[in-house]
Amino acid sequence: MRQIDVLKGLLKFYQENGGSAEDIAEIERKIAKSKNGRKSKNKGANYERTLIALLKDKFPFAEFARTPMSGGFHKDASKESLRGDISCLSEDLEFKLHIEAKNHKKFSINEWWAQATSDCPPSRLPCLLMHRGQEVKNGKRVYASEDFILLRFSDFLEIVDKEKIFLDKK
């Protein structure tokens, strides 16, 4: 039985049997917190699915998927490809990036970068993909939603394609 179901049952019991207002309020707070956690988890999973779709469009020859438990799986896995939030499942390809994906209103770059680098296997390059949703104030869009990437400059230089970064003057 899920914890939220237990909390809902306890809330119903207190409401029907005259539980104290403080106890009822505390259980309602725990239920609301549980729902917010689930929404946040779903928001992150949806962002990971969006990134996978974009990667598949750019690299149709490769197979990408969400890592089980959103990257937490690696602690029990010996396979380096199952680390990070998104994994390349193509056995004949080695995907160089270790992707950590974040979809939050406020950026915590230092904390996220520490996670990306500490979880990154030695053969891969840590990469932080971040989504900033649009902001609207007084009915007007202040800025549109955008995605950002954070890499070490040395890692960027290692993977950048010279054919794509320089324009031909001809």
Side-chain angles (χ1 to χ4, degrees):
M1 182 175 273
R2 297 180 318 163
Q3 182 179 0
I4 190 145
D5 295 328
V6 172
L7 288 171
K8 287 179 179 178
L10 190 59
L11 177 62
K12 184 177 179 184
F13 176 80
Y14 279 168
Q15 289 171 334
E16 292 173 353
N17 296 296
S20 72
E22 294 86 19
D23 288 341
I24 290 172
E26 178 65 16
I27 294 170
E28 288 174 338
R29 184 192 65 74
K30 287 180 180 180
I31 290 171
K33 186 176 178 185
S34 175
K35 289 179 180 177
N36 286 340
R38 194 172 320 120
K39 286 179 191 174
S40 178
K41 185 175 181 178
N42 289 338
K43 183 175 76 166
N46 288 336
Y47 181 54
E48 290 170 7
R49 283 189 279 275
T50 298
L51 291 173
I52 287 168
L54 293 169
L55 286 167
K56 285 180 178 179
D57 282 348
K58 181 70 177 173
F59 308 107
F61 51 86
E63 182 182 353
F64 294 94
R66 292 182 62 229
T67 306
M69 296 186 295
S70 191
F73 184 71
H74 81 86
K75 293 173 181 73
D76 297 326
S78 60
K79 196 166 184 182
E80 287 186 353
S81 65
L82 293 177
R83 292 189 183 187
D85 292 327
I86 297 172
S87 298
C88 179
L89 302 179
S90 301
E91 300 223 359
D92 57 330
L93 298 172
E94 183 178 345
F95 190 60
K96 300 246 342 149
L97 298 178
H98 167 83
I99 296 176
E100 289 294 333
K102 302 296 181 186
N103 184 2
H104 291 265
K105 287 183 180 178
K106 297 197 184 275
F107 284 6
S108 299
I109 292 175
N110 290 337
E111 176 186 332
W112 298 341
W113 185 250
Q115 177 190 358
T117 56
S118 69
D119 290 351
C120 185
S123 64
R124 313 249 310 270
L125 307 174
C127 171
L128 182 58
L129 289 170
M130 303 165 286
H131 178 75
R132 175 183 75 175
Q134 74 173 2
E135 184 173 335
V136 177
K137 286 188 180 177
N138 300 324
K140 292 187 177 186
R141 185 166 63 181
V142 177
Y143 55 77
S145 65
E146 294 181 282
D147 295 294
F148 299 91
I149 187 167
L150 181 66
L151 291 168
R152 289 184 194 110
F153 186 62
S154 59
D155 294 342
F156 169 76
L157 293 175
E158 183 178 329
I159 64 172
V160 72
D161 184 349
K162 70 178 179 181
E163 303 301 323
K164 301 283 183 181
I165 200 160
F166 286 98
L167 301 175
D168 193 0
K169 289 186 173 183
K170 294 177 188 177

